[in-house]
Structure formats: C-alpha cells, structure tokens
Amino acid sequence: MSAPTLDRPVPDETALQQQFDATIAADHRIEPRDWMPEGYRKGLIRQIAQHAHSEIIGMQPEGDWLLAAPSLRRKAILLAKVQDEAGHGLYLYSAAETLGADRADLTDKLIERKQKYSSIFNYPTLTYADVGVIGWLVDGAAICNQVPLCRSSYGPYARAMIRVCKEESFHQRQGYELLMTMMRGTDAQRAMVQDSVDRWWWPSLMMFGPPDDDSPNSAQSMAWGVKRHTNDELRQRFVDMSVPQAEVLGVTLPDPELALDPETGRYRFGAIDWSEFKQVLAGNGPCNDERIARRRAARDDNAWVTEAATAYADKHAAVSA
Ligand code: FAQ
C-alpha cells in the first residue's frame, strides 16, 4: 500500500481565475495569500503607492508651518496631524508590501518621478489659513474619496483605510475649527481665509482625478472592486458636501457658476482647468521640484540610519545563529 500523500493538486490558472472572479462577484475580500491576476496586483501597487507617496509628500506643505504656528495649541494640533500623515504613509507602504512591492524601491520610483503623488501637494502654503483650508478641503476631499475605499476588494488596503479615514475626519474638523476661529477674528483674518479658499478650491476638485471619459484606470479598477465610484461621482459628492459648509463658514467659493440644481438637488459647478492639472502632473506645478528635492534629501541624508540598523540586525542574527 502506498504512503498517503499530503500534496494537494495544484489548481490550474483557469480554476484560480474563476475562484478570484467568484470572490470579487460575491464582494468578499482578496487577501495576500490568495491568487490574483497580475493586472490586479500591479494596479493595486500603482494606486496604493501613489496614495502612500501622497501622504508622505503631503506632510510638507503643512510641515512648513510647524515652526511658525501662531500658538502652542495650534502647534501641538499641527504636529499631531503631520505625524498622523506619516503613519498613513506607513500603513499604505505596508499594504503595498503585502503585494510583493519593496518600500525602498517605491521611494526611489517616487524620487525618480516614475510614480505619482497627489497633485494637490504641489501648491504652496502661503499663510496659516492654508493649514485650516487643507484640513477642511483637502482632508475633506480625501475622506470623500477614501470612505468607499474601506470597502475595496483588497483586504489590507480596505482595513488600512478604516483607520486613515477616522483620523482624517478628525483632521477635517480641526481645520474647520481653525477657520471658524479666524472668521470670528479680524477683517484681515477673514480676508486671509477667503484668499486661501480662492487658491485651494479648484486644486481640491482636481484631487478626484481626470473626468470619467478621460480616466484610463477607472473601468477596470471598478470591475475589480478596488474603486467603488467614478472620479466624477466623488467630485460631485464633495461639491455637494462643501457648499453648505462654506455658507456656515461665511466664505465664497470661487466659482460664479456654482448653483443648486432644483431638479437633482445637487450643485452644478463651472469647468475645471484640466490643462493646469496636466501641467502639475507633468512636474510643472508651483512646488513639484521643491517637494521631490526634499524627499530626496530625506532619503539620502538618513541612509546611514538604515545602514546602521541593518548592520545591527545582521550582527544580532549572526550571534543567535
Ligand atoms: N494627482 O485613471 P485615473 C490625502 C493620475 S491622500 C496626481 O482616474 P485612478 C491625505 C492617476 O494616478 C490624497 N495624479 O486613475 C492628506 C493615473 O496615473 P497612473 C491621495 C493623479 O487611479 C490630506 C492618471 O492620473 N489619495 O490627501 C490624480 O483610477 C491632507 C489617470 O487617472 C489617493 O491616492 C491626482 N489628483 O484614479 C495628506 C486615494 N488623479 O497612476 C496630507 C487613492 C489621477 O496611471 C494632508 N487613489 N491621477 O500613472 C484613488 O482613489 C485613485 O488613484 C484616484 C485616481 C482617484 C486618485
């Protein structure tokens, strides 16, 4: 009698694909141990890496105000927010690693401009009102975009989004509270808030990505359950959410065409300048060079820390072997 074998038959690619399709159709999660099509893996690494890079580069515009915050309280709030963004970047890089990506390699691709980060972080923070407006509009847009990603089909990404969204909701409220305080202040402070809203409104709308008819990744990403809504759907949701908040704040959104459509109950808005978006993506925004240069310096100047930690870990491994 032959010995029992523990080997299980290896399913063929067609069976694996069918299993993957069935998991997606049932709205269950794909986990790192599961087979997945190469396009799904690559597409996720692309999106998660760009998201992680956005969080890390996104520390810079607000970080510029850490040494010039107007009070100890504002400094403590800002410091906590910027640290949260670093944490979000780390969860996201970890999620990308579960797909086989290497974090150092992703950082190199960012610095070599082979991978993107959100267009919004290529604009300068000129006044402290910008800190409030980033919290209100940029975190607000990020939440709108990311709450549906908590139901994304890839387990580690979806789970990371739950905590990220909770923290970003807090960021959005602190930004709005800062703006409320400034709006109750002097005429100069109110003017500062209005000027900031004027500069950040349109770039915030661009955060949602190109219009649906010019979004090469959307259809496949939605079929795989990575994205749950199109770019234009989420942009509209953000506009509908922000207009009443602007009214309560007492600021004017810089769009003369913004008007409630009584039939749909949604706000119509003016045309977005997609040529500006394309310029920023091509590396020609106001701060692209500065953002990348600072990230490059952080990698190069701190390389000795990685080397020392690696040497220490190797030494310990050798001793315990
Ligand atoms: N900026 O085909 P689609 C934050 C690229 S986190 C730059 O529509 P997709 C937190 C896109 O990658 C903000 N590039 O692409 C925070 C693609 O290029 P590729 C980041 C953009 O992926 C707050 C090409 O254009 N959030 O703010 C942008 O289906 C405050 C064609 O586009 C996320 O990443 C853009 N705005 O849809 C931190 C959320 N839009 O990759 C600090 C997750 C598009 O083929 C302070 N990501 N592109 O070379 C997503 O939901 C999606 O990736 C979209 C784009 C919606 C961004």
Side-chain angles (χ1 to χ4, degrees):
M1 203 171 89
S2 62
T5 171
L6 293 174
D7 291 344
R8 278 183 290 173
V10 180
D12 65 24
E13 187 117 334
T14 313
L16 290 166
Q17 178 75 50
Q18 280 169 352
Q19 200 176 357
F20 172 86
D21 292 342
T23 306
I24 297 289
D27 212 6
H28 292 160
R29 297 278 171 274
I30 304 293
E31 296 296 339
R33 62 173 183 266
D34 296 334
W35 181 91
M36 58 189 86
E38 210 33 43
Y40 180 82
R41 183 189 302 277
K42 282 200 178 127
L44 269 170
I45 292 176
R46 178 192 65 80
Q47 176 166 327
I48 297 173
Q50 114 127 42
H51 196 167
H53 299 328
S54 303
E55 297 282 357
I56 298 298
I57 294 279
M59 295 164 72
Q60 292 188 32
E62 292 164 287
D64 282 343
W65 281 94
L66 279 172
L67 296 179
S71 69
L72 184 59
R73 176 170 175 265
R74 293 292 171 200
K75 191 196 282 267
I77 294 170
L78 185 57
L79 195 55
K81 181 180 193 290
V82 173
Q83 283 177 333
D84 282 352
E85 284 153 9
H88 298 173
L90 299 189
Y91 312 146
L92 286 159
Y93 284 127
S94 298
E97 282 178 326
T98 67
L99 291 156
D102 174 69
R103 188 174 144 194
D105 176 54
L106 297 180
T107 298
D108 290 344
K109 288 199 169 101
L110 163 70
I111 290 169
E112 289 156 17
R113 301 185 194 225
K114 290 182 184 152
Q115 285 179 344
K116 298 186 174 74
Y117 59 91
S118 183
S119 49
I120 193 77
F121 302 117
N122 291 304
Y123 293 86
T125 40
L126 304 181
T127 69
Y128 208 74
D130 290 0
V131 170
V133 168
I134 288 178
W136 173 38
L137 293 180
V138 176
D139 281 277
I143 296 163
C144 237
N145 170 261
Q146 287 162 207
V147 166
L149 293 176
C150 297
R151 293 185 293 109
S152 184
S153 59
Y154 187 57
Y157 190 35
R159 288 189 289 274
M161 280 304 107
I162 294 172
R163 179 162 173 181
V164 169
C165 286
K166 281 185 185 163
E167 292 180 350
E168 280 174 356
S169 299
F170 187 71
H171 297 166
Q172 199 227 9
R173 283 168 212 194
Q174 69 76 28
Y176 198 71
E177 187 269 343
L178 166 58
L179 297 178
M180 273 292 196
T181 305
M182 291 185 79
M183 292 303 284
R184 284 195 295 261
T186 62
D187 284 347
Q189 285 174 308
R190 278 187 283 279
M192 211 184 269
V193 174
Q194 183 61 59
D195 168 67
S196 179
V197 170
D198 290 346
R199 284 182 288 110
W200 290 91
W201 174 249
W202 290 106
S204 298
L205 295 190
M206 294 174 196
M207 282 178 73
F208 294 91
D212 292 351
D213 56 12
D214 193 23
S215 165
N217 298 298
S218 277
Q220 181 60 77
S221 182
M222 288 179 64
W224 275 331
V226 174
K227 268 165 82 158
R228 296 290 178 170
H229 302 280
T230 70
N231 298 354
D232 285 333
E233 281 166 9
L234 293 173
R235 194 171 2 255
Q236 181 68 54
R237 196 178 279 189
F238 174 69
V239 172
D240 294 339
M241 182 180 98
S242 302
V243 174
Q245 293 174 354
E247 281 166 9
V248 173
L249 201 54
V251 293
T252 308
L253 295 171
D255 179 358
E257 291 176 49
L258 200 58
L260 187 65
D261 181 336
E263 276 177 28
T264 61
R266 317 206 77 172
Y267 285 89
R268 286 191 294 252
F269 54 96
I272 295 173
D273 181 359
W274 291 113
S275 63
E276 176 180 323
F277 176 74
K278 285 183 182 150
Q279 278 299 314
V280 174
L281 257 61
N284 304 321
C287 300
N288 295 58
D289 292 344
E290 181 186 326
R291 302 292 184 234
I292 292 292
R294 207 187 274 184
R295 188 69 196 85
R296 181 190 295 278
R299 180 195 60 182
D300 296 349
D301 296 349
N302 297 317
W304 68 271
V305 178
T306 314
E307 282 163 26
T310 310
Y312 184 75
D314 288 349
K315 203 165 121 187
H316 261 263
V319 168
S320 51

